[in-house]
Amino acid sequence: MAQKEKMITRGQLFLFIIQAQIGVGILSLPNKLNETAKGGGGLSVLVAGVITQLVIILLWVLLKKFPGLNLFGICIKLAGPIIGSLLIILYIGYFILLGSNIMLSAVEVLRRWMLQTTPRWAVLALFSIMTIYLAREKLTVLARFYTLASVLFIPLFLFIIYGLTQAHLDNMLPLLEKGLWNIVKGAKETTISMYGFELMLIIYPLSEGTDKQKLISVSLSNLFVTLFYFFVVSTCLMFFNSEQIKMIPEPVIYLMKSLSFFIVDRADILFLPIWTITLVCSIVSYCYAASIGLSVLFRRKSHRKFTPFVKIITFMIALAPVTSVGIHLLDTASTYAAYLFIGGLPLVMLIISLFVKRKGSGLA
């Protein structure tokens, strides 16, 4: 088992998963859901929350069967040193791919709204410097930073709540205009934007509490994220009509830009830097997970030495796409990789574990 000083509390586990889940996808989600489900976009978010919870339970059952082991330890335990090492390499690649995609998406949004003349490589380099400084630290340090960063959700809520003063409920009605099937299809877009909960596979054995308490913490994180997404999507769908939202790639940011306060002319200029902190947390989480995987693969106690290598690869992948087609391909690859590494492989490992006799436990 992990030593006591390396453990994070249940509250920190709750906030860690929240910070990992909330990413750049929410900024464009109302636009995508309007196209698929129109006024029923909020219902699509709730369906996605249920689907995510089912996957969380699947991952929890797998972790519960191997107490004290994280994802990489389970791979070795189930598949042996050779195939298990191959699975670890694949998961490391997945974490790097997701981290690269989030960083690239964040940079593209910032360049569209604030940094139009800044070279992409410069913004990517700034993100890399910020994330490498954190990702090389211990989990307890990350958890403390995420807890501090969670305070920034308060101004985010206040900004979006202010948008309700100019919202019109009839813009969402009728909720079932596109039918139940399209609401379910919209849930697919939302689920993609809620990735990050799979990091419980890495930090689960390093958190305090019983298995049931840990499941409750992660489930509450998912509930918080689901309700937050529902609130943001519903606010945008009420603020803009269907024709307006079709022409706005990032409705959440445009909503901020449309608001006028007494002392602030453009709220989006305040909103984006605050949101960037959450994106940094999400990128750091994937970089940390990949570094942990490399430390297990090379049998080292610390992941610190592997973090620069992970960040260089992440930077190069994010810098590679030079056209919108390339960016779309990276996003598509990340989506299908998530299906495999979040749902497919854990399910296969769980089925195999039913036929494997469980022995002693311990962190890899």
Side-chain angles (χ1 to χ4, degrees), residues 327-348:
I327 295 173
H328 178 72
L329 286 175
L330 180 62
D331 188 58
T332 302
S334 301
T335 299
Y336 285 106
Y339 293 153
L340 174 63
F341 290 98
I342 297 178
L345 284 179
L347 179 59
V348 172

Side-chain angles (χ1 to χ4, degrees), residues 267-280:
D268 59 304
I269 300 298
L270 293 177
F271 176 85
L272 281 172
I274 295 174
W275 192 265
T276 300
I277 301 300
T278 299
L279 298 180
V280 166

Side-chain angles (χ1 to χ4, degrees), residues 30 41-43 164 167 172 229-239:
L43 299 179
L164 291 175
M172 287 184 61
Y229 276 37
F230 175 80
F231 172 63
V232 172
V233 169
S234 298
T235 300
C236 289
L237 292 177
M238 288 188 289
F239 189 88

Side-chain angles (χ1 to χ4, degrees), residues 2 34 87 179:
N34 175 73
L87 287 174

